[in-house]
Amino acid sequence: MELCIQLSITMLGKQLIQNNLFEIGIPKLKKLIRYIKSKRRSFQEEEREKKLQRYETDHFLEPFAGLTPEYMEMIIQFGFVTLFVASFPLAPLFALLNNIIEIRLDAKKFVAELRRPVAARAKDIGIWYNLLRAVAKVAVIINAFVISFTSDFIPRLVYQYMYSPDGSMHGFVNHTLSYFNVSNFQDGKEPMDPQHQVEMCRYKDYREPPWSNTPYVISKEFWAVLAARLAFVIVFQNVVMLMSDIVDWLIPDIPKDISLQIHKEKILMVELFMKEEQGKIQFIDSMIPCGGKEKRNNHAPIARSRSIPHTHSHTHANNF
């Protein structure tokens, strides 16, 4: 419950309100400060008389600082959504609402609040993709531990299939409660209410009762539940990883229509290259005079006739 409250405050208060307000407010404030510092009285009078050009108005915008803050915000949001989604299932919904709002805010920021960035080619998002994959794998393990150790899902299954006499959940609460003798309290910590004489208390734990040979020692039921929880973590992790690999294999990184377009583009490039080579050969043939062609044709049989004895000599040598 504490983790759920923290995540709700983070997703609602920090991302929806704080981040979006700061993304618009800080560039506007910096723009105003830069405008006040750079303006002089003479320039202000001149501005009243003429309209500034676009590059002059863009000079007062905030310089583009790169995409690192945007990627970092995306990684942090992805971590909050995936790492603790078992504790706060509404986190993806609030993340979706935040992204819908932030798309329009970022569009306004890049158009009206920041200077135009210098375009640069990029094959992919780089190291950020590896970070997303790492966070996704860690999220599977964390959610498995959250489901296994913070809920009664595993203890209920263990009781139903191992300790229940009839296979039902009747008596589950009594099974999860241990006994404590009030006389075993330390001095000064016993109950101070004299109206109710209590001799035995119940608390939620798997421990031996006070009348056993080893009172208050962890019972075998605790180790059975712990083993089941660890087994659930291993099974859950492998199943989710296998499903993610299957989905990754079924859905290609490059869509089929784009791969076909890339294949057609390669074919067209090969055809264009062949046409250029044929054009070069025809151009060279057209530049050579007719006498040169005859000499080239006359020399060709001589070269072939010279090569014939050479082959015959090899043939005789092999036969010999």
Side-chain angles (χ1 to χ4, degrees):
M1 183 55 66
E2 291 82 1
L3 182 59
C4 178
I5 295 173
Q6 291 179 2
L7 285 174
S8 62
I9 294 173
T10 300
M11 300 301 294
L12 286 174
K14 188 176 184 298
Q15 291 205 349
L16 276 177
I17 300 174
Q18 182 180 357
N19 288 352
N20 293 331
L21 288 179
F22 283 176
E23 283 192 7
I24 295 299
I26 291 178
K28 283 184 176 295
L29 184 61
K30 290 182 178 180
K31 176 183 176 182
L32 180 61
I33 294 173
R34 190 179 295 106
Y35 182 84
I36 294 173
K37 287 183 178 179
S38 62
K39 287 292 184 179
R40 295 181 180 179
R41 183 175 302 176
S42 59
F43 189 72
Q44 290 178 355
E45 293 177 357
E46 184 180 356
E47 182 186 359
R48 295 193 188 110
E49 296 176 0
K50 69 173 185 177
K51 184 178 179 181
L52 293 177
Q53 298 295 326
R54 181 58 186 263
Y55 67 91
E56 293 176 324
T57 57
D58 289 345
H59 174 72
F60 300 106
L61 298 178
E62 176 72 13
F64 179 67
L67 293 174
T68 301
E70 303 294 332
Y71 278 122
M72 186 62 68
E73 184 180 356
M74 181 181 65
I75 294 294
I76 292 173
Q77 184 193 71
F78 183 75
F80 277 123
V81 169
T82 57
L83 291 176
F84 310 107
V85 68
S87 299
F88 188 54
L90 289 177
L93 175 62
F94 291 123
L96 177 63
L97 296 176
N98 173 71
N99 291 338
I100 292 174
I101 297 173
E102 192 170 359
I103 286 174
R104 305 313 309 164
L105 295 179
D106 284 342
K108 179 176 177 56
K109 180 178 70 174
F110 277 95
V111 171
E113 305 298 336
L114 297 178
R115 297 178 187 175
R116 291 184 178 87
V118 179
R121 283 189 174 184
K123 184 178 179 180
D124 49 22
I125 62 176
I127 192 62
W128 300 104
Y129 178 73
N130 296 330
L131 289 175
L132 288 172
R133 287 183 62 90
V135 171
K137 291 181 179 180
V138 174
V140 175
I141 301 174
I142 291 179
N143 282 289
F145 276 99
V146 169
I147 295 172
S148 178
F149 283 88
T150 63
S151 67
D152 290 334
F153 174 69
I154 302 300
R156 287 176 180 272
L157 292 179
V158 171
Y159 176 78
Q160 184 176 1
Y161 292 103
M162 292 181 62
Y163 298 104
S164 178
D166 54 355
S168 64
M169 295 303 298
H170 182 71
F172 169 72
V173 176
N174 187 41
H175 176 75
T176 58
L177 297 178
S178 299
Y179 291 89
F180 182 78
N181 196 341
V182 178
S183 61
N184 293 326
F185 274 117
Q186 297 179 0
D187 294 337
K189 295 184 178 179
E190 64 273 2
M192 302 299 294
D193 190 2
Q195 296 180 359
H196 300 87
Q197 297 296 329
V198 178
E199 296 182 358
M200 200 68 65
C201 294
R202 304 296 300 273
Y203 61 98
K204 190 174 182 179
D205 201 355
Y206 293 98
R207 292 185 179 273
E208 295 291 340
W211 57 82
S212 66
N213 296 327
T214 56
Y216 310 122
V217 177
I218 294 175
S219 62
K220 61 179 181 180
E221 288 84 1
F222 172 82
W223 300 111
V225 172
L226 180 61
R229 284 173 170 171
L230 294 177
F232 172 81
V233 170
I234 296 173
V235 173
F236 182 84
Q237 175 187 354
N238 290 311
V239 169
V240 173
M241 292 295 182
L242 179 62
M243 291 177 61
S244 64
D245 292 338
I246 292 174
V247 172
D248 192 13
W249 177 71
L250 292 176
I251 302 175
D253 295 334
I254 302 176
K256 187 176 181 180
D257 54 348
I258 296 179
S259 62
L260 291 176
Q261 291 179 3
I262 294 174
H263 183 66
K264 291 179 182 179
E265 183 180 355
K266 290 182 179 179
I267 295 175
L268 292 176
M269 289 179 66
V270 171
E271 293 178 354
L272 180 61
F273 178 75
M274 296 298 295
K275 288 181 181 180
E276 289 182 354
E277 292 296 326
Q278 291 177 0
K280 289 180 181 178
I281 294 173
Q282 293 176 0
F283 178 74
I284 293 173
D285 291 340
S286 64
M287 295 297 293
I288 297 175
C290 296
K293 293 182 180 179
E294 292 177 357
K295 291 180 181 179
R296 185 179 65 183
N297 295 330
N298 292 331
H299 283 301
I302 295 173
R304 288 196 295 269
S305 64
R306 288 179 181 177
S307 63
I308 291 171
H310 184 68
T311 57
H312 281 297
S313 62
H314 281 289
T315 305
H316 289 299
N318 293 330
N319 295 329
F320 181 76

